[in-house]
């Protein structure tokens, strides 16, 4: 019986890794081991291994099943009824691909940038997938700002002499692909100086005065909607993280939102007036 490596070890990520971290790790390894680029003898096997790991860990249901049962949940010979309760097989020409899911569907379903298993080759390596039949679709790239990604926007492109209005839904991420009948639009999102994104969650650093951290009070933080007033507790320490529920990125399908996390940084003055120094010295003596 062949012992399989742990999927997390294969991708080089922690068990607590986010979907974005898993996807980033897979992209890197897929580019490294793809047989079209890597001619070493074990490249094909390694590419297959990292792809298998990604298919499981990038899907929340399959990942939960894997964390609970390990490889046995997806092993055809592990006593789960021959093909396993989570597996399906897809035939394309001489190639057969088996993918797994707890719901019986395509493991790439629900990912906006890979709508079927074969398009991943086109996304990573350019050109058509060696497993797809039919003409390759024309591709266009649209670059939008972070706030346009958060709010949604629209652009106009000319395809084969005809004008198309491209409606970009709120919540799209870098690399999202919108597929039309005979062309594909890929979305590039410019980074923002304030907001950092991880999946559908948003992170910001927010500086507060030393006196506010000590005494407590109210401060206003930016969000993708409008500024939000938050309460600072007396004695707040540097690096304190505050969670604002449902203030993150919206899901493109509109059924949920991520959270916004605010990391509080204490703004310590580098210069003090004579009175400020005197008061602090008095405070120190009292303490």
């Amino acid at each position: 019986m062949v012992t399989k490596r742990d999927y997390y070890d294969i991708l080089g990520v922690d068990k607590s890794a986010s979907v974005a971290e898993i996807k980033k790790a897979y992209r890197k390894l897929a580019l490294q081991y793809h047989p079209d680029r890597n001619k070493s003898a074990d490249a094909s096997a390694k590419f297959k291994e990292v792809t298998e790991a990604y298919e499981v860990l990038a899907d929340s249901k399959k990942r939960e099943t894997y964390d609970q049962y390990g490889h046995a949940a997806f092993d055809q010979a592990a006593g789960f009824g021959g093909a396993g309760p989570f597996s399906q097989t897809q035939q394309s020409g001489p190639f057969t691909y088996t993918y797994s899911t707890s719901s019986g569907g395509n493991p790439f379903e629900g990912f906006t940038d890979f709508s079927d298993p074969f398009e991943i080759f086109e996304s990573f390596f350019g050109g058509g997938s060696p497993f797809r039949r039919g003409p390759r679709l024309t591709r266009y790239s649209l670059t939008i700002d972070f706030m346009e990604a958060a709010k949604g926007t629209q652009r106009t492109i000319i395809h084969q002499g005809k004008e198309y209005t491209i409606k970009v839904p709120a919540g799209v991420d870098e690399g999202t692909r919108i597929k039309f009948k005979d062309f594909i639009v890929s979305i590039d999102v410019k980074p923002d100086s304030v907001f950092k994104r991880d999946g559908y969650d948003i992170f910001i650093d927010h500086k507060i005065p030393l006196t506010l951290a000590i005494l407590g009070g109210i401060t206003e933080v930016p969000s993708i909607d409008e500024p939000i007033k938050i309460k600072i507790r007396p004695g707040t320490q540097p690096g304190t993280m505050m969670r604002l529920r449902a203030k993150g990125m919206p899901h493109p399908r509109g059924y949920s939102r991520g959270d916004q996390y605010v990391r509080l940084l204490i703004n310590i003055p580098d210069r003090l007036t004579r009175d400020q120094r005197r008061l602090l010295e008095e405070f120190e003596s009292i303490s």
Side-chain angles (χ1 to χ4, degrees):
M1 180 178 179
V2 179
T3 302
K4 287 188 176 182
R5 292 175 59 198
D6 180 78
Y7 285 149
Y8 294 98
D9 289 342
I10 291 172
L11 295 182
V13 297
D14 296 331
K15 287 192 174 183
S16 60
S18 65
V19 173
E21 291 171 329
I22 290 171
K23 184 180 292 187
K24 181 178 180 181
Y26 174 58
R27 288 177 186 269
K28 179 180 178 181
L29 292 171
L31 286 170
Q32 179 180 348
Y33 292 119
H34 189 266
D36 286 350
R37 296 192 172 194
N38 190 326
K39 301 303 180 182
S40 61
D42 62 345
S44 180
K46 287 183 176 295
F47 180 81
K48 181 179 179 182
E49 184 180 51
V50 298
T51 300
E52 178 181 325
Y54 173 78
E55 289 177 358
V56 172
L57 299 185
D59 182 279
S60 60
K61 292 182 180 179
K62 296 197 297 294
R63 182 177 180 179
E64 182 180 355
T65 302
Y66 175 74
D67 289 343
Q68 185 174 1
Y69 298 106
H71 291 293
F74 307 94
D75 192 345
Q76 296 183 11
F80 287 97
F86 308 102
S87 66
Q88 291 188 5
T89 301
Q90 179 167 331
Q91 182 77 30
S92 180
F95 302 92
T96 300
Y97 288 83
T98 300
Y99 52 83
S100 305
T101 173
S102 57
S103 60
N106 186 327
F108 292 91
E109 186 176 3
F111 289 89
T112 54
D113 47 352
F114 302 131
S115 59
D116 74 61
F118 305 117
E119 287 185 358
I120 191 170
F121 291 91
E122 300 176 12
S123 176
F124 285 162
F125 310 112
S129 162
F131 313 112
R132 179 186 295 285
R133 297 176 180 177
R136 177 174 175 237
L137 299 181
T138 303
R139 297 172 182 274
Y140 299 93
S141 179
L142 293 180
T143 300
I144 62 176
D145 294 331
F146 182 90
M147 291 305 296
E148 289 179 312
K151 298 286 190 179
T153 187
Q154 63 181 37
R155 291 287 194 276
T156 300
I157 66 170
I158 305 298
H159 174 67
Q160 296 181 350
K162 185 177 179 180
E163 185 176 287
Y164 291 84
T165 298
I166 309 301
K167 294 183 178 180
V168 181
V172 296
D173 202 354
E174 173 76 18
T176 295
R177 302 195 314 176
I178 304 174
K179 186 175 181 181
F180 295 83
K181 182 177 180 180
D182 53 357
F183 65 91
I184 294 174
V185 175
S186 178
I187 305 297
D188 298 321
V189 181
K190 295 179 182 178
D192 190 84
S193 59
V194 175
F195 300 101
K196 309 301 178 186
R197 177 174 180 170
D198 184 2
Y200 294 107
D201 292 333
I202 293 175
F203 295 80
I204 68 168
D205 288 336
H206 182 67
K207 289 185 177 181
I208 61 174
L210 176 62
T211 52
L212 181 59
I214 295 173
L215 301 175
I218 302 295
T219 187
E220 190 174 82
V221 299
S223 77
I224 61 174
D225 298 315
E226 58 186 15
I228 301 172
K229 292 183 178 180
I230 60 175
K231 184 177 181 180
I232 304 299
R233 294 181 178 178
T236 292
Q237 300 299 306
T240 296
M241 190 77 77
M242 301 185 69
R243 178 185 182 186
L244 307 179
R245 292 181 180 272
K247 294 298 182 182
M249 278 287 186
H251 194 285
R253 295 181 180 177
Y255 55 76
S256 65
R257 286 186 65 165
D259 299 325
Q260 177 171 324
Y261 292 86
V262 180
R263 185 174 65 168
L264 297 175
L265 306 178
I266 311 302
N267 190 13
I268 300 176
D270 54 3
R271 290 186 178 86
L272 296 175
T273 67
R274 184 174 299 176
D275 288 340
Q276 287 173 332
R277 178 177 291 276
R278 177 179 56 80
L279 290 172
L280 286 175
E281 288 173 348
E282 291 179 5
F283 175 79
E284 177 65 21
S285 64
I286 294 173
S287 299

